Amino acid sequence: MNRSELIQSIADKNDLSRRQAETVVSTMLDCILDALKREERVEVRGFGSFTTRNYAPYIGRNPKTGE
């Protein structure tokens, strides 16, 4: 399911206009992104949990030249 399908599903199930459902989805995603930017953990029971992780950099190499 992509974003527009989610919006349509929310609109259909809750008797909302597409624009209202789009506002709901956008607001929810904005709130999740804001929390992740503050490095907080987000958990929506029955939906999923979101966290950020920092990984150490790795040394890449060009497979053609070996550099």
Side-chain angles (χ1 to χ4, degrees):
M1 175 180 282
N2 61 29
R3 183 181 178 133
S4 60
E5 291 171 341
L6 177 62
I7 291 168
Q8 190 61 50
S9 178
I10 290 172
D12 293 342
K13 289 183 180 183
N14 294 294
D15 195 29
L16 298 171
S17 71
R18 185 167 170 80
R19 184 173 283 301
Q20 289 172 322
E22 186 175 354
T23 301
V24 169
V25 171
S26 293
T27 303
M28 185 181 98
L29 294 175
D30 288 343
C31 291
I32 291 172
L33 287 173
D34 290 342
L36 291 174
K37 287 177 185 176
R38 293 189 306 266
E39 296 184 5
E40 296 175 359
R41 183 175 185 273
V42 178
E43 181 179 347
V44 180
R45 298 207 184 239
F47 181 70
S49 62
F50 306 91
T51 58
T52 57
R53 293 185 183 171
N54 293 320
Y55 293 96
Y58 64 93
I59 299 174
R61 109 181 145 77
N62 184 339
K64 195 170 193 176
T65 65
E67 283 186 42

